């Protein structure tokens, strides 16, 4: 099988793509989806190290990350719905009321 | 190159390609479908890394529940209007630089200290008759989850409860129109 550095490397590339998407996209739902991509990258490296070291605790931590991702999705999309009620659309470019 | 290695590299390549397509497509629904492809390929890598339970959780919870939830909220919005908007902010080159600096971590991950002799526990080299269940089995994860990880497990349940209540409070229409 592959060395663990291949797993961690692909995890880092996935995290980079997620970070780019979170910073560059102007749609709030796609920003949240990019955050999910980053969380998946972290899960990948946790499982990779768990496999490498023969330790199940990495998989347990990945399970917790999935639970936190579910909570984040619920809260984030609740915020999107509340925002959409006041101002239609999911663009973040016109959300400037907190800008000084 | 063995078959498993070839499958791993296919999965990793497909993950990176579908993630790239997901963050760059103009139509948000297409992005969601590419993220679905990404989640399924990550589940495939989990299978290769002896994490069968996590692969099932990844497909059921991530692809089945979280992604469908995102799609529902996306359909609530006006998709054609979102397609007409600009995809990226004006600072997207800055975001590319941030992403590339993270991708430099991929190069750092190739440092040989990650693969020292003695630390490596080859999963295939483990004796079958070793004490305890095989690595990555549901039994081993369950023993860890309800043993040393019992308190984080309960905190996770509390977090999910708070998220449920918070999502309902946020999405509920205010009676007084406040």
């Amino acid at each position: 099988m592959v060395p663990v550095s291949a797993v961690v490397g692909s995890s880092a590339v996935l995290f980079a793509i997620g970070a780019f998407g979170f910073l560059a996209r102007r749609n709030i739902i796609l920003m949240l989806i990019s955050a999910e991509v980053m969380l998946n990258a972290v899960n990948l490296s946790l499982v990779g190290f768990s496999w490498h070291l023969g330790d199940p605790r990495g998989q347990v931590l990945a399970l917790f990350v999935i639970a936190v991702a579910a909570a984040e999705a619920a809260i984030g999309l609740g915020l999107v719905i509340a925002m959409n009620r006041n101002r239609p659309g999911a663009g973040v470019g016109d959300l400037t009321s907190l800008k000084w | 190159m063995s078959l498993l290695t070839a499958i791993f590299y296919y999965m990793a390549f497909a993950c990176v390609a579908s993630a790239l397509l997901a963050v760059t497509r103009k139509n948000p629904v297409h992005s969601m479908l590419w993220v679905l492809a990404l989640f399924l390929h990550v589940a495939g890598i989990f299978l290769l890394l002896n994490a069968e339970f996590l692969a099932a959780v990844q497909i059921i919870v991530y692809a089945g529940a979280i992604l469908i939830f995102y799609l529902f909220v996306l359909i609530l919005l006006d998709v054609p209007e979102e397609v007409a908007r600009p995809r990226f902010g004006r600072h997207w080159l800055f975001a590319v630089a941030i992403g590339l600096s993270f991708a430099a971590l991929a190069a750092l991950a190739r440092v040989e200290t990650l693969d020292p002799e003695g630390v490596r526990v080859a999963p295939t080299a483990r004796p079958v008759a070793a004490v305890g269940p095989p690595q990555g089995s549901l039994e081993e994860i369950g023993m860890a989850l309800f043993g040393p990880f019992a308190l984080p497990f309960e905190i996770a349940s509390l977090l999910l409860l708070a998220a449920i209540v918070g999502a309902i409070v946020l999405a509920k229409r205010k009676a007084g129109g406040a």
Side-chain angles (χ1 to χ4, degrees), chain A residues 23-25 36 40 51 59 85, chain B residues 23 25 39 58 91 123 171:
Chain A
L23 291 171
R25 289 307 289 241
E36 300 288 343
N40 246 290
W51 164 76
Q59 297 188 24
R85 191 177 304 131
Chain B
V23 299
R25 288 305 91 193
F39 286 171
Q58 168 91 2
H91 59 287

Side-chain angles (χ1 to χ4, degrees), chain A:
Chain A
M1 258 306 266
V2 295
V4 70
S5 55
V7 181
V8 180
S10 49
S11 158
V13 171
L14 274 184
F15 192 94
I17 294 171
F20 161 73
F22 188 84
L23 291 171
R25 289 307 289 241
R26 293 296 82 188
N27 184 317
I28 194 164
I29 294 184
L30 287 172
M31 287 170 70
L32 287 173
I33 273 289
S34 304
E36 300 288 343
V37 173
M38 286 193 276
L39 286 170
N40 246 290
V42 171
N43 272 350
L44 190 56
S45 72
L46 279 174
V47 173
F49 280 121
S50 162
W51 164 76
H52 178 63
L53 301 173
D55 190 332
R57 284 178 291 182
Q59 297 188 24
V60 175
L61 285 178
L63 212 55
F64 287 138
V65 170
I66 290 179
V68 170
E72 174 246 329
I75 294 296
L77 293 175
L79 281 173
V80 170
I81 291 175
M83 191 187 91
N84 197 49
R85 191 177 304 131
N86 295 327
R87 188 193 312 247
V92 294
D94 45 356
L95 295 176
T96 54
S97 44
L98 279 179
K99 204 171 173 181
W100 186 47

Side-chain angles (χ1 to χ4, degrees), chain B residues 23-142:
Chain B
V23 299
T24 53
R25 288 305 91 193
K26 205 165 182 56
N27 192 325
V29 180
H30 295 175
S31 286
M32 292 290 168
L33 295 178
W34 282 115
V35 169
L36 176 64
L38 165 71
F39 286 171
L40 294 180
H41 282 101
V42 170
I45 294 185
F46 285 177
L47 277 183
L48 288 179
L49 298 181
N50 294 342
E52 292 90 0
F53 177 62
L54 265 184
V57 168
Q58 168 91 2
I59 289 177
I60 293 172
V61 176
Y62 251 120
I66 296 181
L67 201 71
I68 299 303
F69 188 31
Y70 274 102
L71 266 176
F72 270 138
V73 177
L74 189 62
I75 302 295
L76 282 180
L77 305 173
D78 191 4
V79 174
E81 189 195 346
E82 297 302 326
V83 174
R85 283 170 187 276
R87 260 177 289 185
F88 301 131
R90 283 191 301 274
H91 59 287
W92 67 274
L93 274 175
F94 181 65
V96 169
I98 299 275
L100 284 180
S101 64
F102 269 115
L105 286 176
L108 284 179
R110 300 202 56 82
V111 170
E112 294 302 313
T113 53
L114 272 178
D115 295 306
E117 293 300 318
V119 179
R120 173 137 187 91
V121 180
T124 50
R126 267 171 87 119
V128 180
V131 185
Q135 187 224 339
S137 72
L138 187 52
E139 184 183 349
E140 209 179 16
I141 295 177

